[in-house]
Amino acid sequence: METKKVAFYTLGCKLNFSETSTISRSFNDEGFQRVDFKEKADIYVINTCSVTENADKRFKTIVKQAQKVNPEAFVAAIGCYAQLKPEELADVNGVDLVLGATEKFKITDYLNDLSKNDFGEVHSCEIEEADFYVGSYSIGDRTRAFLKVQDGCDYKCTYCTIPLARGISRSDTMENVLKNAQEISQKGIKEIVLTGVNIGDYGKGEFGNKKHEHTFLDLVTELDKVKGIERLRISSIEPNLLKNETIDLVSKSRAFVPHFHVPLQSGSNELLKRMKRRYMRELYVDRVSKIKQVMPHACIGVDVIVGFPGETDELFLETYNFLNELDISYLHVFTYSERDNTEAAEMDGVVPNNIRAKRSKMLRGLSVKKRRAFYESQLNTDRVVLFEGENKQGYIHGFTENYVKVKAPWNPELVNTLHKVKLTKIDEDGLVRFNFKEALVH
């Protein structure tokens, strides 16, 4: 019998990538062969995202791509958008199966004979049923893996559909996280990025209830001891959950790197209240100051939303000036888009799309300036670089522990190795050049 082939396409966040990877391993266990999405496959699985409008639109294009390669292929949609709008996805021409938040991890149970359906078949739970935890990690490249430690969210931010798409906050057991980390290290991967929906909430729901057996601090303390992992990175953590003890631990840690990504969303307290965020801007300043006090070379990334309902020119400038004065390294700028079943979608003070776009451009310009200033502050310092695996137009890229992106002429022997370097100058493309000092053999 011929081996069936499966291909995956992932939209959205690192968490989705880690889950796609885990789901793909369940196909391997069933004897499927994984191929690239551009190749001919018997089944195409699309892991969807609901965070931006763009991700919704791209879904249809991706289904068309799959059908072009193999019109007879079975197409399945999973992920956040599949949980929120299953019927809408099932109506897309060519879609055979739509699975919600709890069903996606058992996808192989829903595949019968892989023959095309006349209509998309939907298996989607009520989101209240998404109360169990499925651990996962992704191994996309040889250099780093995304390790999921937590899922779901109990916060009720007025713009966000994640709690509707992923359910309540729940965590992996400490034992399982450590086991996954060890599995990753045995595959020769040097860096683990911790991921989840709200990872600072780690420990909640570890035993199916709200009781915390462990905290995020316990988690990072134990992970720091896992042998073979050279680097650990915290992907994104809420400012109100990033405690001094965690910052201190990272500053003294063996493996945790001085790179934090801390969502802000707005520099205006008025808008933070409208968004139902759980802090004011003063707390954010305090977190940045604490990080820089114990790790002056730390890289700090910020998420910010522009065009939220009620954002006047004055309030936008408040955010712009706040960020301009803050000692941060780069921004991820999101243009607000209305999502069904969220409080913000009903709010007045709607910002016209052309103004949202203009504000987004201004903040992206500020991000370029901030990154450049941060890179300049790191010149003539010694750093450790982990090199990536791709030949990009004759160059190899890598990242220092504090997230400075460097480049050197392509050399396959550098792939997935750590080297001590001295950062020397910023190239025309904004990446940093360096001189080698020594190879770090582990």
Side-chain angles (χ1 to χ4, degrees), residues 160-387:
C160 185
T161 56
I162 297 285
L164 301 171
R166 284 187 168 271
I168 57 169
S169 179
R170 52 209 191 274
S171 309
D172 207 347
T173 62
M174 179 78 84
E175 187 189 1
N176 200 43
V177 172
L178 295 174
K179 180 177 83 65
N180 284 342
Q182 276 147 1
E183 278 177 25
I184 291 166
S185 89
Q186 283 155 12
K187 291 177 163 65
I189 290 166
K190 300 275 197 294
E191 180 177 315
I192 288 179
V193 182
L194 301 185
T195 176
V197 173
N198 187 356
I199 64 174
D201 218 10
Y202 176 80
K204 193 188 275 187
E206 196 181 344
F207 298 96
N209 54 26
K210 288 295 169 204
K211 185 171 101 245
H212 274 256
E213 179 78 10
H214 296 103
T215 61
F216 185 68
L217 181 64
D218 297 336
L219 177 74
V220 291
T221 306
E222 290 307 310
L223 278 168
D224 203 27
K225 299 171 189 165
V226 176
K227 291 198 170 42
I229 294 294
E230 300 298 327
R231 282 186 177 181
L232 286 154
R233 205 179 287 278
I234 297 166
S235 66
S236 178
I237 184 164
E238 293 283 309
N240 52 307
L241 295 173
L242 177 57
K243 304 288 190 246
N244 284 348
E245 296 82 0
T246 304
I247 296 169
D248 286 332
L249 180 131
V250 170
S251 74
K252 302 183 184 87
S253 154
R254 174 193 72 81
F256 275 93
V257 294
H259 174 209
F260 294 86
H261 194 90
V262 189
L264 168 69
Q265 311 311 12
S266 174
S268 150
N269 282 344
E270 190 182 321
L271 287 176
L272 288 172
K273 285 176 188 157
R274 273 177 83 97
M275 292 175 169
K276 290 196 179 164
R277 301 292 287 157
R278 299 197 173 194
Y279 52 87
M280 292 289 107
R281 59 188 256 163
E282 290 73 16
L283 175 91
Y284 200 91
V285 173
D286 182 66
R287 298 299 71 206
V288 170
S289 309
K290 170 66 184 173
I291 292 168
K292 287 292 187 177
Q293 178 199 328
V294 294
M295 291 169 274
H297 61 300
C299 178
I300 304 174
V302 183
D303 285 344
V304 60
I305 294 170
V306 295
F308 189 78
E311 185 184 61
T312 59
D313 285 346
E314 293 74 26
L315 293 180
F316 169 70
L317 284 174
E318 206 181 314
T319 294
Y320 186 93
N321 294 331
F322 178 73
L323 289 165
N324 194 25
E325 285 157 28
L326 210 53
D327 192 0
I328 53 156
S329 319
Y330 64 90
L331 304 171
H332 278 174
V333 184
F334 296 90
T335 305
Y336 172 74
S337 59
E338 285 78 1
R339 321 304 293 146
D340 289 347
N341 302 317
T342 58
E343 274 185 66
E346 310 296 318
M347 287 180 182
D348 50 14
V350 174
V351 178
N353 284 339
N354 61 329
I355 293 175
R356 295 183 205 185
K358 188 173 136 197
R359 289 175 185 170
S360 172
K361 196 173 175 185
M362 279 176 72
L363 282 183
R364 285 203 302 271
L366 179 62
S367 181
V368 170
K369 196 176 95 174
K370 285 284 185 186
R371 196 185 295 266
R372 176 89 191 188
F374 176 64
Y375 281 9
E376 281 173 359
S377 75
Q378 297 304 300
L379 294 180
N380 301 313
T381 63
D382 292 352
R383 294 284 164 241
V384 175
V385 171
L386 174 59
F387 287 99

Side-chain angles (χ1 to χ4, degrees), residues 17 55 159 393 409:
F17 279 93
Y159 52 81
Q393 294 166 325

Side-chain angles (χ1 to χ4, degrees), residues 118-130:
D118 294 338
F119 305 100
E121 194 181 303
V122 174
H123 296 275
S124 172
C125 65
E126 290 301 316
I127 198 60
E128 291 74 33
E129 293 165 30

Side-chain angles (χ1 to χ4, degrees), residues 21-37:
S21 207
T22 294
I23 290 164
S24 80
R25 291 195 285 278
S26 71
F27 276 91
N28 292 347
D29 297 343
E30 298 286 331
F32 280 81
Q33 180 194 343
R34 183 173 179 174
V35 297
D36 191 83
F37 202 82

